Amino acid sequence: MKLKHVVLSAMMPAMTFAAVPAAAEEFALLQEARTVASSIPPRLVGVLQQEIEKGGVEGAISVCREKAPQMAKEASEKTGWQIRRVSLKNRNPKAVPDAWEAAVLQDFDRRAAAGEDPRQLERGEMVSDNGAYSYRYMKALPTQQLCLSCHGGPSDIAPAVKARLAELYAGDKATGYSLNQIRGAMTIRRTF
């Protein structure tokens, strides 16, 4: 009986020590994920503003349609993270969240409704899916004033913009948002 106790006591520091690098590694992944996820939205907004100045809101739709996925792809190749945007009310059919992402988005909505600042909402965690492990991270994308021209209510969206959106996105669900409402999230993943 005493030998069993000694063996377990000797193993405890080793088990605790083994958990520290895992926690430290997970914290490092969180920090890296934050940096990667935060790098795309400001660049996208900058390009979007330039296009609006050149050709109005209707002409800037291509930024979110074409340039945003291109930016995400380039950042994915550069960083090694899989990067995309998702929404519970998606415009682009490729922006449909998987089960984990949908649960996180629903949690973000609940937390924002309870008074949390939507600009601070994030989640990062190790996830196991059929024996494969990934570090997954999501950062909420609250609706900014600029977004309302395409994602706002009926009075926010000009008729020409509505027509162009209807032409490009037959199943569009991404309207009716108000300022600071969570429109979606940046979602990134690294598989191990």
Side-chain angles (χ1 to χ4, degrees):
M1 196 65 105
K2 286 185 180 182
L3 180 59
K4 191 175 193 180
H5 177 71
V6 170
V7 171
L8 285 175
S9 295
M11 289 176 57
M12 290 304 286
M15 291 189 307
T16 302
F17 181 72
V20 172
E25 183 177 318
E26 192 164 338
F27 181 74
L29 287 167
L30 173 62
Q31 295 299 92
E32 185 178 344
R34 283 179 175 149
T35 301
V36 171
S38 298
S39 69
I40 296 172
R43 288 186 15 232
L44 179 60
V45 168
V47 172
L48 191 57
Q49 287 172 328
Q50 289 174 350
E51 287 298 317
I52 290 171
E53 289 171 13
K54 285 196 294 190
V57 174
E58 184 182 347
I61 292 171
S62 66
V63 171
C64 289
R65 180 179 170 86
E66 297 159 15
K67 291 185 181 179
Q70 180 184 349
M71 288 174 155
K73 182 180 182 211
E74 289 168 0
S76 292
E77 290 168 357
K78 182 179 176 183
T79 65
W81 291 87
Q82 298 169 22
I83 305 167
R84 65 191 197 113
R85 295 177 305 159
V86 294
S87 177
L88 293 173
K89 290 173 42 177
N90 64 298
R91 174 165 284 158
N92 183 332
K94 294 179 182 176
V96 175
D98 64 21
W100 184 85
E101 293 163 336
V104 172
L105 284 166
Q106 291 165 352
D107 180 58
F108 286 172
D109 284 341
R110 278 190 296 275
R111 291 167 57 192
E116 283 190 58
D117 183 348
R119 296 169 299 176
Q120 302 302 317
L121 295 175
E122 66 176 352
R123 164 122 22 114
E125 64 186 338
M126 289 297 288
V127 176
S128 173
D129 186 23
N130 295 325
Y133 287 90
S134 298
Y135 187 81
R136 301 199 66 182
Y137 175 85
M138 286 180 67
K139 173 79 174 153
L141 294 171
T143 305
Q144 299 177 31
Q145 188 65 44
L146 180 68
C147 306
L148 295 176
S149 299
C150 291
H151 294 283
S155 63
D156 296 317
I157 305 172
V161 173
K162 285 180 189 176
R164 183 73 175 139
L165 290 172
E167 178 186 321
L168 294 172
Y169 301 102
D172 185 14
K173 300 177 228 162
T175 59
Y177 288 100
S178 58
L179 191 61
N180 291 321
Q181 188 175 10
I182 296 171
R183 189 175 43 77
M186 292 296 300
T187 181
I188 69 173
R189 171 193 288 201
R190 179 174 288 164
T191 304
F192 300 95

